[in-house]
Amino acid sequence: MIDSILSWAPLVLSVVQLLLAWVLWSMRQEFVRRVDCGRERDGMAKCHIDLAHRVAAAEADIGNMPRPAAWSKMQVAMEEVRGSNKVLLAKLEGQSEILKRIEHPVQLLMEHHLKGDK
């Protein structure tokens, strides 16, 4: 019995070693190497630094923006400007009508002066 076990022992040990080698190789494929991890960590650190700069710039820009009270004052001022523009437009339209009424007599006077007294 021991002879039969000893005869199979090298084959069993070879199979076990092959299985162990396959398990170790598979584990190596699942885990990240230190070099790759360090490279990725450096890349992520650069991204974090860039993001921190962008956030700081955005916060500075937001800090420079007018406050809500200033926005409401600007909106009121813009509405006042719109109102005054409407008034000016109405006045210009009125003057346009006046100019149309004056245009014809002025045209007749110019023709009279250009042609002379006949």
Side-chain angles (χ1 to χ4, degrees):
M1 168 105 173
I2 292 198
D3 290 334
S4 65
I5 292 175
L6 288 176
S7 67
W8 285 95
L11 182 61
V12 171
L13 283 174
S14 296
V15 170
V16 169
Q17 285 178 349
L18 283 174
L19 283 173
L20 184 61
W22 178 76
V23 167
L24 290 174
W25 180 80
S26 295
M27 286 176 58
R28 182 173 184 222
Q29 297 301 318
E30 291 294 320
F31 295 105
V32 179
R33 288 186 235 152
R34 286 182 190 254
V35 174
D36 295 336
C37 182
R39 190 176 330 125
E40 289 297 319
R41 186 180 58 229
D42 292 342
M44 292 299 279
K46 289 177 185 175
C47 288
H48 285 271
I49 290 170
D50 291 343
L51 183 61
H53 289 303
R54 290 175 61 193
V55 167
E59 287 175 346
D61 289 343
I62 289 172
N64 293 333
M65 288 180 62
R67 301 288 176 233
W71 277 111
S72 63
K73 286 180 183 178
M74 285 193 308
Q75 287 176 335
V76 168
M78 287 174 60
E79 288 301 320
E80 289 174 358
V81 168
R82 282 189 187 123
S84 65
N85 283 346
K86 288 180 183 177
V87 169
L88 286 173
L89 182 62
K91 285 181 180 179
L92 286 175
E93 287 176 354
Q95 293 207 356
S96 173
E97 292 296 321
I98 291 172
L99 288 175
K100 284 180 186 176
R101 284 189 283 169
I102 294 175
E103 181 180 13
H104 184 65
V106 169
Q107 186 70 26
L108 289 175
L109 285 172
M110 268 182 42
E111 286 179 18
H112 175 72
H113 283 293
L114 288 176
K115 289 181 181 178
D117 292 333
K118 290 187 180 182

